[in-house]
Amino acid sequence: DAKTTQPPSMDCAEGRAANLPCNHSTISGNEYVYWYRQIHSQGPQYIIHGLKNNETNEMASLIITEDRKSSTLILPHATLRDTAVYYCIVMRHGGSNYKLTFGKGTLLTVNP
Amino acid sequence: GAGVSQSPSNKVTEKGKDVELRCDPISGHTALYWYRQSLGQGLEFLIYFQGNSAPDKSGLPSDRFSAERTGGSVSTLTIQRTQQEDSAVYLCASSLSSGEVNEKLFFGSGTQLSVL
């Protein structure tokens, strides 16, 4: 599976949009981009995923560049409860993709 | 509750003792995963169960680690003769299936294991 690169940390003001970048320049055509987050002392939580098109759900939006080499997770109105480590991973469906490794992610701190 | 349940939430044990960690997946989820997360580190895959198929144990770090899943539901991760390096958060996750279009994993809150 392709590796990803994320900044180790970011800050965001409460109520503002948080834009978390992820580089995945070696992504394959059949690999999806997934985002999870992990709030302190909790297990990871699924946020969103996509293949080529931009996606939006009740939690966030996912913008994938046309060449699919990078993506951005957008939290439109960050709250203090969004403070967490955000993980970007790429994986294909099926096979042994369950052996996914989340890496160290981006620690997003939302400030009041 | 509708989520993945793990117990105990915290376990402190002495070096050399055996421990058992329990995971109750979401009802109807056929795939179950165990991961380990050491302090400040990412997730490390341990073992994967899918329905009645033989589990993928390739992530287990040593033969002191074993896991079983009874009746396709509850799973127990056992660590024998615990060592201090086993100290970590042990996370369980479940999903509807592996290989389907939707690969969302639902995680429990984990068991914090401390080996003294």
Side-chain angles (χ1 to χ4, degrees):
Chain A
D1 289 331
K3 294 185 184 292
T4 63
T5 303
Q6 298 177 254
S9 64
M10 293 183 64
D11 284 278
C12 177
E14 187 178 18
R16 304 297 294 269
N19 298 284
L20 294 96
C22 180
N23 286 323
H24 32 79
S25 59
T26 60
I27 191 171
S28 299
N30 62 351
E31 288 181 317
Y32 290 74
V33 180
Y34 274 75
W35 284 83
Y36 283 79
R37 73 179 183 184
Q38 189 169 21
I39 296 170
H40 183 60
S41 297
Q42 296 183 25
Q45 175 191 26
Y46 166 85
I47 302 173
I48 199 167
H49 76 283
L51 182 64
K52 289 187 285 190
N53 299 321
N54 298 337
E55 302 288 343
T56 295
N57 63 20
E58 66 279 3
M59 291 183 68
S61 294
L62 173 61
I63 308 298
I64 302 173
T65 57
E66 191 169 343
D67 62 8
R68 302 209 324 124
K69 294 185 177 183
S70 66
S71 61
T72 301
L73 178 75
I74 301 172
L75 308 179
H77 306 287
T79 71
L80 299 180
R81 289 182 298 177
D82 291 323
T83 292
V85 178
Y86 287 76
Y87 297 101
C88 167
I89 60 174
V90 292
M91 65 177 188
R92 58 184 175 83
H93 288 166
S96 61
N97 57 282
Y98 49 83
K99 296 183 182 179
L100 53 90
T101 53
F102 279 21
K104 296 190 177 180
T106 296
L107 173 59
L108 173 69
T109 302
V110 181
N111 300 304
Chain B
V4 177
S5 177
Q6 290 188 248
S7 61
S9 56
N10 283 282
K11 177 70 175 179
V12 180
T13 190
E14 294 179 349
K15 177 181 173 181
K17 300 282 189 182
D18 298 351
V19 295
E20 284 190 352
L21 312 179
R22 177 187 169 102
C23 172
D24 276 286
I26 293 173
S27 178
H29 280 193
T30 58
L32 187 146
Y33 319 71
W34 282 98
Y35 294 88
R36 178 167 72 173
Q37 188 172 36
S38 300
L39 187 62
Q41 301 299 311
L43 291 184
E44 175 189 1
F45 165 77
L46 297 177
I47 189 169
Y48 161 70
F49 295 90
Q50 169 61 289
N52 295 321
S53 302
D56 183 334
K57 306 178 182 181
S58 60
L60 296 177
S62 77
D63 58 7
R64 296 186 295 104
F65 288 72
S66 63
E68 62 177 21
R69 188 179 185 192
T70 55
S73 180
V74 172
S75 177
T76 302
L77 177 69
T78 301
I79 309 173
Q80 296 178 309
R81 304 181 303 281
T82 52
Q83 304 293 314
Q84 289 182 332
E85 60 263 29
D86 298 335
S87 297
V89 176
Y90 288 81
L91 290 159
C92 176
S94 70
S95 67
L96 278 173
S97 181
S98 180
E100 299 296 328
V101 174
N102 189 332
E103 294 287 354
K104 286 194 290 186
L105 270 64
F106 295 83
F107 285 82
S109 294
T111 294
Q112 172 71 63
L113 176 65
S114 300
V115 182
L116 304 179

